[in-house]
């Protein structure tokens, strides 16, 4: 079945080995039943905001210009100017997106548009954690599919649901990368991913849904900094190797991807999987080898206007 929906899970602070060693059984199951790479690369250095910008635009930092300055939140800064995956999905097929972000700094990467719903719960909300995010998502999906409106821009299950789960990185920095709190955070993230997938199953759309899991960065390559100092996300000693997993509708099962994969390839792969064309200057290529069959190309709104 060709995908009509995509769940994009974006992690921080979780190495591929953490998924491979059995710490995250739900993520490991997705990798085993789908297509996975354990050597995908983020940008370098893997700064949180810059990496997310590259994921969403398919561009290098030099082109989207969301550089290290954006790591410090500035309310007065305008939105990122480069078109995003959300823009291309709307232009190519009239498809909608919903964002659940756990970092206020990422808010400025998506301009307010009628085809995007966005919710942010981050550093300023201590109650925000993977479990509460899944509650927000379930409540949101219940409302948008009820026909009541509730003030949202979207009125059905979104074609793309992006969920940002950075708590492993935050707790690893604060409490240590081998601490009980860090392991609890990783397990909570694994449980949240399973809950989100089960929510789509309850809505009856899981058989039409592709799930992609990747990361903006991994835990520090060399461990904590000397003298016990905290390691800031995205500093050069952070590992840019991230997991990349695809599972679900039209995805090959049990496939280990061996070719080099970049975080920048994620958006193009989603567009291709949904049967959409980009016509952009992306520095990325769709990972066509993950699909069982070539996705059927969808007719764009402009093409429909010419037909009728």
């Amino acid at each position: 079945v060709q995908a009509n929906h995509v769940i994009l899970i974006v992690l921080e602070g979780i190495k591929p080995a953490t998924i491979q060693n059995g710490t995250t059984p739900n993520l490991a199951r997705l990798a085993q039943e789908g297509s996975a790479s354990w050597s995908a690369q983020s940008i370098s250095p893997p700064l949180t905001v810059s990496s997310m910008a590259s994921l969403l635009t398919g561009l290098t930092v030099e082109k989207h210009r969301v550089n290290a300055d954006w790591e410090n939140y500035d309310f007065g800064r305008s939105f990122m100017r480069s078109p995003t995956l959300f823009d291309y999905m709307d232009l190519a097929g009239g498809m909608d997106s919903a964002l659940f972000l756990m970092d206020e700094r990422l808010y400025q990467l998506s301009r307010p548009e009628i085809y995007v719903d966005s919710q942010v719960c981050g550093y300023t909300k201590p109650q925000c954690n993977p479990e509460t995010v899944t509650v927000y998502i379930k409540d949101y999906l219940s409302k948008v599919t009820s026909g009541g409106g509730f003030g949202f821009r979207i009125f059905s299950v979104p074609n793309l649901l992006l969920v940002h789960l950075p708590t492993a990185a935050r707790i690893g920095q604060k409490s240590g990368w081998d601490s009980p709190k860090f392991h609890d955070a990783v397990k909570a993230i694994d449980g949240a991913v399973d809950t989100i997938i089960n929510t789509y199953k309850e809505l009856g759309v899981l058989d039409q849904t592709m799930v992609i899991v990747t990361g903006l960065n991994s835990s520090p390559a060399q461990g904590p900094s000397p003298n016990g100092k905290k390691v800031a996300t995205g500093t050069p000693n952070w590992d840019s190797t991230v997991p990349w997993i695809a599972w679900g509708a039209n995805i090959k099962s049990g496939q280990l991807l061996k070719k080099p994969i970049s975080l920048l390839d994620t958006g193009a792969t989603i567009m291709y999987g949904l049967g959409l064309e980009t016509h952009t200057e992306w520095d990325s290529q769709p990972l066509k080898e993950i699909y069982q069959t070539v996705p059927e190309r969808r007719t764009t709104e402009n093409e429909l206007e010419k037909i009728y």
Side-chain angles (χ1 to χ4, degrees):
V1 178
Q2 180 165 320
N4 288 317
H5 307 281
V6 178
I7 302 172
L8 174 59
I9 308 289
V10 182
L11 310 174
E12 288 194 61
I14 295 182
K15 290 182 176 181
T18 304
I19 299 174
Q20 292 176 283
N21 66 17
T23 304
T24 57
N26 294 310
L27 290 173
R29 177 181 64 84
L30 298 184
Q32 184 177 10
E33 296 178 359
S35 298
S37 170
W38 305 118
S39 58
Q41 295 294 310
S42 181
I43 66 169
S44 182
L47 300 162
T48 293
V49 184
S50 298
S51 296
M52 182 66 91
S54 288
L55 186 156
L56 296 180
T57 63
L59 299 173
T60 61
V61 175
E62 291 73 22
K63 290 186 178 180
H64 62 60
R65 294 182 289 181
V66 177
N67 54 30
D69 294 339
W70 288 63
E71 298 303 304
N72 297 313
Y73 181 75
D74 181 359
F75 181 78
R77 182 186 290 122
S78 62
F79 290 95
M80 176 176 64
R81 300 189 64 178
S82 298
T84 65
L85 172 60
F86 322 125
D87 301 321
Y88 293 131
M89 286 179 58
D90 176 68
L91 290 170
M95 291 190 162
D96 299 320
S97 303
L99 288 58
F100 288 81
L101 307 172
M102 291 184 65
D103 190 329
E104 294 88 348
R105 296 176 298 172
L106 303 180
Y107 171 76
Q108 291 168 312
L109 300 185
S110 173
R111 295 178 299 278
E113 300 287 357
I114 59 172
Y115 45 84
V116 179
D117 275 331
S118 181
Q119 296 190 31
V120 181
C121 68
Y123 291 98
T124 60
K125 297 181 179 179
Q127 73 275 20
C128 187
N129 56 52
E131 294 91 337
T132 56
V133 168
T134 61
V135 173
Y136 298 155
I137 291 171
K138 193 164 188 175
D139 179 66
Y140 169 79
L141 293 173
S142 175
K143 289 179 178 177
V144 297
T145 56
S146 69
F150 294 95
F152 294 114
R153 296 184 172 95
I154 300 172
F155 303 101
S156 61
V157 177
N159 300 104
L160 172 65
L161 176 75
L162 186 154
V163 186
H164 172 234
L165 300 173
T167 48
R170 295 178 185 176
I171 293 177
Q173 290 175 331
K174 184 176 180 180
S175 302
W177 299 97
D178 197 30
S179 66
K181 288 184 177 180
F182 173 75
H183 292 291
D184 288 344
V186 171
K187 291 178 181 178
I189 290 169
D190 188 59
V193 172
D194 190 52
T195 299
I196 295 167
I197 291 174
N198 282 327
T199 299
Y200 271 62
K201 184 176 182 180
E202 294 169 3
L203 291 169
V205 296
L206 186 58
D207 63 334
Q208 308 166 38
T209 301
M210 172 174 62
V211 179
I212 293 181
V213 180
T214 188
L216 303 180
N217 47 58
S218 293
S219 53
Q222 305 298 329
S225 293
N227 305 318
K229 293 183 179 179
K230 295 179 181 179
V231 181
T233 306
T235 51
N237 66 325
W238 270 63
D239 191 351
S240 61
T241 303
V242 295
W244 202 96
I245 301 169
W247 174 93
N250 199 23
I251 300 296
K252 290 180 181 178
S253 177
Q255 179 179 220
L256 181 63
L257 302 172
K258 297 181 180 180
K259 64 173 286 186
I261 293 176
S262 167
L263 185 71
L264 278 66
D265 297 328
T266 305
T269 301
I270 291 173
M271 294 282 289
Y272 181 80
L274 290 171
L276 303 175
E277 291 187 335
T278 59
H279 302 291
T280 70
E281 298 300 323
W282 278 4
D283 298 313
S284 60
Q285 297 293 328
L287 305 176
K288 298 181 180 180
E289 64 271 27
I290 70 173
Y291 296 104
Q292 296 179 30
T293 60
V294 176
E296 182 179 350
R297 184 175 173 272
R298 298 176 189 270
T299 304
T300 66
E301 292 182 358
N302 288 336
E303 290 171 335
L304 285 173
E305 289 177 0
K306 292 178 181 179
I307 293 173
Y308 295 102

